[in-house]
Amino acid sequence: MTAAAPKASRSWARAIGEIATAFLIVMAGKAALAEPFYVPSASMEPTLLIGDALLASKYPYGYGTASLPVNVTVPTSIRLFGKLPARGNVVVFRWPGDTSQAWVKRVVALPGDRVQMREGQLWLNGQAVPTRASGFGDAQNEDGGFTPAARYTEELPGGHSHIIFKLRTHGALDNTDEIVVPPDMLFVMGDNRDNSADSRVSVADGGVGLLPVENLIGRVDTVLGSWDIAARKKPIWEWPTGLRLSRMFSSVQ
């Protein structure tokens, strides 16, 4: 009977080792390849919806402390294999106001760009970014309700086009001063232009301000799945009806 004890101990040690190895593999994959994130707000509608589960690819912009699957604060961050996003990329990043929070916005201006909002239209380097009316849609609120929204197609320099929402004709962030994006900074915006605390809003006022490149986590390429939060108002057995099957494994433009 006593001879079995060492064998049992070895079995437990092996099991713990296998669990630890699996955990390290998963964490390494999240750090080096891609990481899932959840969308809790309406700031990127209609491109991203509340309840979307995203996959952010980390390799396109290189690796820094922001890429780690756990929040780490260090005085400086050296970015390995660093590369700037392209205008139009949807990115996940650590919010400068609290790096434990991951936010998602669209990159609209790069270092050296002159950027300004005039009467609700984006201007880059002295030129109005082309926009055209694309009908109407419904912007979902965090409580599950909907607000009518005008849809516009916006085409950034380089040819990237995407849909934006405008909830009102004269939004609070429709007019800004022209600024030059400093080195190692990005100007990001939400596609729901009247419901996004982005680079038009300072960090002190709850926005992103100019985003340091070192805060980038990755590029959003795919929606893994989605669940409509409006289903919370239904009986629990009807919650599966909130699954948005059409958004599963859909690409993000």
Side-chain angles (χ1 to χ4, degrees):
M1 297 293 291
T2 56
K7 184 180 293 186
S9 298
R10 286 195 297 271
S11 298
W12 276 107
R14 180 178 178 181
I16 293 171
E18 290 174 348
I19 292 171
T21 301
F23 175 78
L24 291 173
I25 290 172
V26 170
M27 294 298 283
K30 289 177 68 175
L33 300 177
E35 187 172 352
F37 294 92
Y38 172 78
V39 178
S41 77
S43 70
M44 278 297 293
E45 290 178 348
T47 303
L48 301 177
L49 306 180
I50 302 173
D52 280 355
L54 312 176
L55 190 66
S57 302
K58 296 189 175 183
Y59 60 86
Y61 311 137
Y63 304 94
T65 54
S67 311
L68 297 173
V70 293
N71 183 41
V72 177
T73 302
V74 296
T76 59
S77 175
I78 299 174
R79 201 163 190 90
L80 299 176
F81 311 112
K83 183 179 179 182
L84 285 175
R87 295 186 193 90
N89 282 179
V90 177
V91 298
V92 176
F93 56 90
R94 297 203 178 277
W95 179 45
D98 178 359
T99 55
S100 68
Q101 298 184 31
W103 288 25
V104 58
K105 304 290 181 188
R106 188 182 298 277
V107 176
V108 300
L110 302 174
D113 283 343
R114 291 181 289 120
V115 58
Q116 184 179 21
M117 294 295 295
R118 299 184 191 176
E119 298 181 353
Q121 186 167 20
L122 177 64
W123 285 64
L124 287 177
N125 301 317
Q127 300 291 323
V129 172
T131 59
R132 64 180 185 275
S134 300
F136 294 87
D138 291 316
Q140 189 171 34
N141 310 314
E142 281 76 2
D143 63 2
F146 291 89
T147 301
R151 290 165 52 101
Y152 294 88
T153 299
E154 182 177 77
E155 185 172 333
L156 294 170
H160 180 95
S161 63
H162 54 274
I163 302 294
I164 63 172
F165 270 168
K166 280 290 291 174
L167 300 176
R168 53 191 69 90
T169 304
H170 302 290
L173 302 175
D174 278 359
N175 293 282
T176 65
D177 294 333
E178 183 181 72
I179 66 167
V180 178
V181 182
D184 299 320
M185 294 286 187
L186 303 168
F187 197 96
V188 297
M189 295 180 68
D191 290 348
N192 193 349
R193 292 292 164 81
D194 294 319
N195 189 15
S196 178
D198 45 43
S199 288
R200 296 171 293 175
V201 182
S202 69
V203 173
D205 291 327
V208 178
L210 290 167
L211 176 66
V213 172
E214 68 178 24
N215 285 41
L216 289 174
I217 295 175
R219 184 182 67 200
V220 178
D221 295 319
T222 306
V223 174
L224 296 175
S226 187
W227 184 75
D228 188 351
I229 61 170
R232 293 182 303 190
K233 299 179 180 179
K234 299 179 180 180
I236 192 169
W237 56 86
E238 295 186 22
W239 283 8
T241 62
L243 291 173
R244 302 181 178 115
L245 299 179
S246 62
R247 293 187 66 76
M248 291 184 65
F249 300 104
S250 58
S251 61
V252 175
Q253 301 298 320

